[in-house]
Each structure stands twice: as C-alpha cells, then as structure tokens.
Amino acid sequence: MAQAQPLPTTPQADTGDLYLLPGETYTTISQKIGDVPLTPPLKTPRGWLLGFAVAFAMLMVFFVSVTWLFIRGVGIWGINIPVGWGMDIINFVWWIGIGHAGTLISAILLLLNQGWRNSINRFAEAMTLFAVACAGMYPILHLGRPWLFYWLIPYPNTHGMWPNFRSALDWDVFAISTYASVSLVFWLVGLIPDFATLRDRATNIWVKRAYGIAALGWRGSARHWHRYEMASLLLAGLSTPLVVSVHSIISLDFAISQVPGWQVTVFPPYFVAGAVFAGFAMVLLLMIPIRQFYGYQNYITLRHLDVMAKVMLATGMIVVYGYFMEVWASLYSGNTYEEYLLYNRINGPSAWAYYGLLFCNALAIQPLWFKRVRHNVPALLIISLLVSVGMWLERYVIIVISLQREFLPSSWDLYVPTIWDWSLYLGTFGLFFTLTFLFIRVLPMINIFEMRLFQYQENERRRRREHATHGDTGRDIVTGKADPSAASAD
Amino acid sequence: MQNRATPEIYGLMAEFRTPEALVAATHAAKHAGYSRMDAFTPFPIEEVIEEIAPGDTGVPRLVLIAGVIGALSGFALQYWGNIIDYPLNIGGRPLDITNWPSMIPITFEMGILLAAFTAAISMVVLNGLPQPYHPAFNVPRFERASQDAFFLCIEATDPLFDRSQTSQFLRTLGPLQVTEVAN
C-alpha cells in the first residue's frame, strides 16, 4: 500500500453512473493529484507551457490596455452620454457571475451534503477567486481616476467626508470585497490539509519546506479535524447567503435606478440564477479540457458532467423565466418608456443582441433535457460556450439597449465599443488564465483530502450493500483482493 | 498514576492500514479505559472524532459573537457617517433612522466578513497551529498520515499508560507497527 504503484494510464470505462470510478485507493488519489504540483520545473508538460505562454501574452495585452487607459482616461472607450456604462460594466457583471458557481459548488453543495462536489470544488473556488479579480478591475478602472479608488472605503480623512453608504455602488464595494475575502479564506482553509500531503510527498527539501510552512504543521489530528470540519461548515453556511447577497446587490445597481428595463423587481433572483448559470458553463468549459489533459477522468466522471449540465439547465430555465417576466413587466406597466423598451429590444438597432441571447440562453440549452446530450462531451463544450456568450449578451442587452434610448429621444445614441474596450476584455482573460495556469501548476487542483473522504464514504456504502447481498466476503472493497489486515482488524 | 512513563516518551503510536481498522482500534482503546489519545488520519473520520474529541469545538460561539459585532459595527459606521457626522441629502432620502433599509446590505456584509474570518482564524488558533514541531512527526512512516495511513497514539500522560502493557494492548488490535514516540 505504501509503495508507489504504477498508475493506470488508460481511463476506466465510464458508464456515467459513478462519481468515482473503481480502481482508486487512498494511495492513488494522493499520488495522482499530489504529484502534478510536485512535478520538477524541467518536467513541466509542454501543453502547460504553451497554454501559459498564450495566457501570459494576453496578460500583457491587459497591461498595455490599462496603461493607455491611465494615460488617456476613459475617453479611449466607446462610452459616452447616454451610454455611460458600456463594456466595463458588462464585463464586470459577466466575470463576477462566473465566480458564483464556485461558491455554489463549495458552499451550498457542502451544506446539502453532496459528496460529488469534492472533485470539482477546489477548481471551482479558484475560478471564483480569479473571476472576482478580473471583475474587480472594471469598476475601479471605470472610475476615471482609478488611483483614487480608496475614496470608496470609509476611513477618517482630511476631507472630513464619508462615502455615500446609501448608494448601491457603495454596497458593491462592500459586497465584492467581502466576497473576495471570504472566498479566499474558504479556499485557503481547504488547502491546509492538502499542503500537508504535498509537504509529505515532496522530495526536494526546498519544496518540502515551502509547502510545510503553508501547511502550518498540520498533522491530521482527530481534534484538529473536529474543529476543521466545524469551521468549514460555518464558512459554507456564511458563504451561502453571501453569494446570494452579492449578485442581488449587483442587480440593485440597476434595479434601484429609474432607467426603463432596469427597474424590475425580478432582477435580484434573476441575476443570481444567471450568475450560477454562467458559472457552471465556465466550470464545464474549463473542466472538460483539464480532465482530459491530466487524465482525471476517474475523479471527474461523466456523472459529474451530467449533474453540472442539469444545474445549468435548471438555472437556465430560471433565467428564461426572468426574460418572460421582463416582457410581461414592460407590457403590464402601462408606461410608455417601459413599453418602448420592449419594442426597442426586439426591433431596435441592437436587436441582434436580444435574439442572440434568446438563442444562446433559452434555445441552446434545451438539448440538455436528454441524457445522451449530457453524456456527450463535445456537445457540452459547445453548449457551455454558447451559454457563456449568451450571458455576456444578456448584460449587453440590459445595459446598452436600455441606455441607448432612454427618456429623451434627442439624446438617443448608439454605443460602439472601441478596440480598447475589446483589448481590455481580452486582457482580463489573460489575467484569468495566467492565474489559472499558475494555480494548476503549483496547487492540487482537486481537493485531495476530500477525495479520500469521498472514497471512504463510497467504500462504506459499497460495504453496506455487499453485507446486505452476499454477507462479508473478507475481501478488500477497494481492490477486490483478499485483505488480511482489514479482516483481522474487524 | 502509579505507572507513570519516563518523561522522554510522548506516547505509543500504532499504525493501521485501513480507516475501518482504526475505528475499531479507537473504540477498543476507549473501551479499555484510555482517555488521553489522539488519532492522525488523512481525512476526517466521523467515528474516530466522536470517540476522541467529542463535544464543543468552541468555534461556533466565537463566530456568532464576531458576526454580531461585525454587523453592529457596520450599521454604526453608516449611521455615524451618513446621518450624524456628515448628513447629505441625496435623492431626498431621509436623514434619520427611518433610512435603515438602505443600511442593511453593508450591515449584512460586515457581519459575514467578520464571522468568516473568525471561523478560519479561530480554527487555526484553537488547534494550536501553526506548530512546526510535534513529537508525532518523529514516528517512522508518519508522512503517510497525510496520504494513506491511519495512526492511533496513546499518550504517556494517560493515567493507564504503561510502556509495555499499553504496547501489548495496541499489538492486539492488529496494527502494522507499534512505535514509541520520542518527545
């Protein structure tokens, strides 16, 4: 058990009904997941280097875009009156929405005792952090004088002034900084026992020391586990209302204003559902290639893809309900401006975005009702990509179409993003993917101890089933071989 | 207390191959009257935790207190800033306590923020971490405790502890090895 065993190179046949394919033991789990970050620098996979190089080049685009923005100001973007919120806010809402799936997976599914989350939660949480980092850039860069962003934070100052706490924009400051901090803490707490595994598996003394410092001297004591589990549960319980509040508050940026199409009561729940919808699409988009590249099909099985697709379908249908409610609200309002908004969406100059969003978010997800589609990896990739585009278009429709034609026809104008709008968007992808590539290189991308726990729980379940059908055969459940030590211990 | 061990021994450590064996061993040790023991496992095992560390962890109480303090201070901050220290009429919103609904989001976020940090920090501090050195690390193969091995340690401070008797007792539980843990 203790010696290194040859790792199975070919994935097992996956029938789509298991969350953990057979043939795994505590040893193979620790080894297969733990050894990826411990790969010596010179043995870094070529694919990783290539991906990192592309991401890093895109990160440079980000720096160029931000530098030019700092030199020239927000005039380099396509925003102007009447559309003062353009791609900066579209992308802000889009990125932060993506992050929400991570918290849903790590917190809500933990509270609901869904063991299958164990193999995707670390990655999804990392995705949350990086997406929030990208999102957080936009409101700050949009300030005009980004270097004064700290004026948003209440502190005793020589101006003798305070931020306007009654503005939804300041609620955003608190919501997003709390969300980023709590997600980071939750993620780091989850990493402590895995740092200990890496410390104990590392052969290089410096690597061992680095992970050892991060592990804080974790030794797996039962007393420690007791507090650890309690703290994780509490963090999950705190993150759950937090994630709902964050996107609700973001929706209030719109909903408490007077702009037609923004002042809708369905916004908070519809935004939260949309966030989870977009987030699960992004998790699938990233997970599918990574499980292929690192050979993690045993841990992230077809069953995982299946349930993620189901969550995507369910939240997608909530979003579609939101679209119906928007139409209904404008027809029922008896308000000329609200009614005109609907006409403008389906018939105005940016109607393509509205039809595009209906196609991507309402129509393209319908095949997910069928198991055959949910088990078809390329189909899932395409649908997830369409959903990601669709959710971007949704924010475009909400923000741009409403602002282009507001109350005064004399000030109507079109919004055309400039090259710098697009380059900054591309640049945030660079930031996101650079961080993602660094993460999968130096940290275990699947939570190792939770996978071992899941294996244990699966063994228990299988043991109980076997007791019920055949009686105890005295065979090791995991390997199927005779296991004298387990038998003697019982 | 008549069988006090020599002080240079921290305890006796038995290694088990499966979590099931450790659960059985912990149960047996508890049954035999040992009280000062600890298990070292690569993942939390509920049955073992119940035997070794039953009861209150102290974390939830601290989290509740921190959450309430966070929320109250968040509310007080806004009340002071926008209503007492620098009242400013924005959009005709009332400049007194009737404006409380607009203070709820920040109050809530501040409560969550403080509670979450307290959950993480109190877990680490109450566990006595960071602790770079612990006698358990002296045990051969202890590096497997974070991977695939399951250890049970009966500490020398246990009133029933006796170097040879406890060692013999542990050997009856079917371990892979029993080791004396240097202090």
Side-chain angles (χ1 to χ4, degrees):
Chain A
M1 199 100 165
Q3 303 85 8
Q5 293 165 349
L7 302 175
T9 44
T10 47
Q12 312 269 326
D14 189 350
T15 51
D17 49 6
L18 288 175
Y19 287 124
L20 181 62
L21 295 193
E24 294 290 338
T25 64
Y26 307 123
T27 319
T28 60
I29 288 172
S30 311
Q31 202 174 338
K32 276 201 239 173
I33 307 173
D35 283 0
V36 170
L38 292 175
T39 318
L42 291 176
K43 290 197 178 142
T44 305
R46 288 244 176 103
W48 184 91
L49 282 174
L50 187 72
F52 183 72
V54 173
F56 198 70
M58 280 155 63
L59 180 64
M60 295 303 114
V61 175
F62 174 78
F63 287 129
V64 170
S65 310
V66 171
T67 309
W68 190 236
L69 178 76
F70 275 33
I71 295 171
R72 297 295 300 271
V74 289
I76 62 167
W77 291 342
I79 50 171
N80 207 329
I81 301 303
V83 185
W85 281 10
M87 268 180 74
D88 35 338
I89 305 300
I90 298 171
N91 296 339
F92 160 66
V93 181
W94 188 77
W95 273 119
I96 201 132
I98 282 172
H100 282 30
T103 318
L104 183 100
I105 290 169
S106 63
I108 300 180
L109 296 183
L110 178 71
L111 292 183
L112 296 176
N113 210 2
Q114 297 294 306
W116 59 271
R117 67 177 268 291
N118 290 7
S119 44
I120 52 172
N121 75 332
R122 167 74 46 73
F123 191 89
E125 277 174 45
M127 188 190 78
T128 295
L129 285 175
F130 307 151
V132 172
C134 292
M137 298 287 166
Y138 278 107
I140 293 175
L141 294 176
H142 187 233
L143 285 175
R145 287 184 288 169
W147 46 91
L148 297 177
F149 77 93
Y150 61 89
W151 284 9
L152 293 163
I153 300 160
Y155 67 101
N157 55 66
T158 50
H159 310 289
M161 287 170 75
W162 294 95
N164 177 17
F165 295 120
R166 287 169 291 179
S167 158
L169 301 182
D170 207 49
W171 302 346
D172 255 8
V173 175
F174 281 85
I176 290 159
S177 51
T178 300
Y179 183 49
S181 318
V182 172
S183 302
L184 181 69
V185 164
F186 200 2
W187 190 63
L188 286 176
V189 166
L191 275 164
I192 294 172
D194 282 5
F195 280 137
T197 303
L198 293 180
R199 168 197 68 200
D200 293 342
R201 286 198 63 82
T203 44
N204 179 306
I205 182 73
W206 294 106
V207 175
K208 210 178 188 58
R209 278 182 191 161
Y211 286 119
I213 290 167
L216 305 174
W218 185 264
R219 53 184 185 273
S221 152
R223 289 198 176 79
H224 291 185
W225 278 125
H226 189 32
R227 272 194 202 94
Y228 183 89
E229 293 251 276
M230 180 50 81
S232 303
L233 205 61
L234 287 168
L235 280 170
L238 292 165
S239 301
T240 301
L242 175 65
V243 69
V244 174
S245 82
V246 170
H247 228 65
S248 299
I249 288 174
I250 288 170
S251 81
L252 294 180
D253 289 348
F254 303 96
I256 68 167
S257 77
Q258 306 289 326
V259 177
W262 288 10
Q263 204 195 22
V264 190
T265 49
V266 78
F267 259 30
Y270 152 62
F271 264 54
V272 173
V276 174
F277 180 48
F280 266 84
M282 190 55 109
V283 175
L284 279 169
L285 265 182
L286 298 174
M287 271 292 173
I288 290 172
I290 282 175
R291 84 194 255 278
Q292 198 76 30
F293 186 75
Y294 285 99
Y296 283 161
Q297 286 97 334
N298 276 14
Y299 307 130
I300 302 159
T301 63
L302 281 182
R303 182 91 192 267
H304 282 101
L305 303 185
D306 182 277
V307 286
M308 284 195 268
K310 279 182 186 162
V311 175
M312 209 161 79
L313 179 62
T315 48
M317 293 311 287
I318 299 175
V319 170
V320 171
Y321 173 79
Y323 298 152
F324 277 116
M325 288 312 294
E326 278 184 321
V327 172
W328 189 79
S330 69
L331 289 178
Y332 192 69
S333 64
N335 177 309
T336 318
Y337 302 104
E338 291 285 344
E339 282 164 8
Y340 180 72
L341 172 83
L342 179 64
Y343 175 80
N344 191 25
R345 277 188 180 174
I346 57 179
N347 220 3
S350 298
W352 56 271
Y354 192 59
Y355 293 118
L357 113 88
L358 287 181
F359 170 75
C360 292
N361 289 353
L363 211 62
I365 58 169
Q366 298 310 320
L368 294 176
W369 290 100
F370 302 99
K371 198 172 191 171
R372 280 227 335 256
V373 179
R374 294 198 304 268
H375 283 184
N376 185 333
V377 176
L380 280 180
L381 260 185
I382 292 167
I383 293 173
S384 307
L385 195 63
L386 284 174
V387 168
S388 298
V389 174
M391 286 308 292
W392 190 88
L393 288 173
E394 180 194 301
R395 280 72 186 242
Y396 186 91
V397 166
I398 290 173
I399 293 168
V400 172
I401 295 188
S402 287
L403 290 176
Q404 278 184 164
R405 294 186 171 182
E406 258 194 54
F407 301 101
L408 273 182
S410 61
S411 53
W412 286 2
D413 201 0
L414 283 181
Y415 167 70
V416 185
T418 63
I419 178 89
W420 294 107
D421 282 302
W422 292 108
S423 70
L424 187 63
Y425 187 39
L426 183 75
T428 49
F429 275 100
L431 179 65
F432 180 80
F433 283 114
T434 303
L435 290 169
T436 305
F437 274 105
L438 287 176
F439 156 67
I440 59 179
R441 184 65 187 80
V442 298
L443 295 174
M445 71 188 98
I446 297 178
N447 194 322
I448 313 178
F449 91 82
E450 288 190 336
M451 281 308 286
R452 288 186 295 243
L453 176 65
F454 190 59
Q455 168 92 63
Y456 174 66
Q457 290 164 343
E458 288 287 287
N459 288 352
E460 288 289 296
R461 274 191 281 276
R462 233 173 288 176
R463 189 187 304 277
R464 238 172 278 139
R465 262 202 308 277
E466 276 183 20
H467 265 292
T469 52
H470 311 298
D472 196 356
T473 54
R475 292 170 90 82
D476 187 287
I477 299 297
V478 183
T479 58
K481 294 182 190 109
D483 185 356
S485 80
S488 67
D490 289 343
Chain B
M1 282 290 184
Q2 69 273 29
N3 291 331
R4 265 314 276 253
T6 44
E8 69 265 21
I9 297 285
Y10 175 77
L12 283 160
M13 184 87 89
E15 182 191 342
F16 297 91
R17 188 169 163 178
T18 63
E20 291 80 12
L22 176 71
V23 171
T26 314
H27 191 70
K30 196 88 186 176
H31 199 68
Y34 290 103
S35 53
R36 292 201 57 87
M37 54 181 173
D38 202 350
F40 302 92
T41 53
F43 51 84
I45 304 171
E46 211 178 313
E47 297 90 328
V48 173
I49 292 173
E50 274 167 18
E51 294 279 9
I52 287 175
D56 188 13
T57 60
V59 176
R61 206 174 309 118
L62 292 171
V63 170
L64 176 67
I65 294 168
V68 171
I69 291 175
L72 287 178
S73 55
F75 192 87
L77 170 78
Q78 297 174 77
Y79 195 82
W80 170 255
N82 274 179
I83 290 175
I84 298 175
D85 191 41
Y86 201 103
L88 192 61
N89 186 340
I90 294 169
R93 288 172 192 162
L95 288 169
D96 54 36
I97 192 71
T98 53
N99 195 32
W100 68 269
S102 75
M103 300 186 190
I104 293 304
I106 293 180
T107 304
F108 174 78
E109 302 298 334
M110 289 289 286
I112 296 279
L113 182 69
L114 227 64
F117 271 83
T118 307
I121 293 170
S122 67
M123 182 275 288
V124 170
V125 171
L126 291 176
N127 276 348
L129 302 175
Q131 185 184 7
Y133 175 77
H134 188 270
F137 289 116
N138 295 328
V139 171
R141 281 178 44 80
F142 192 73
E143 75 277 3
R144 307 303 301 186
S146 67
Q147 300 173 54
D148 52 11
F150 304 84
F151 290 87
L152 180 68
C153 181
I154 296 182
E155 288 159 25
T157 50
D158 191 293
L160 290 179
F161 186 85
D162 177 276
R163 235 163 141 159
S164 59
Q165 278 176 18
T166 304
S167 169
Q168 251 167 16
F169 166 74
L170 283 172
R171 276 175 217 283
T172 61
L173 302 173
L176 287 181
Q177 56 158 350
V178 176
T179 326
E180 287 191 345
V181 187
N183 218 337

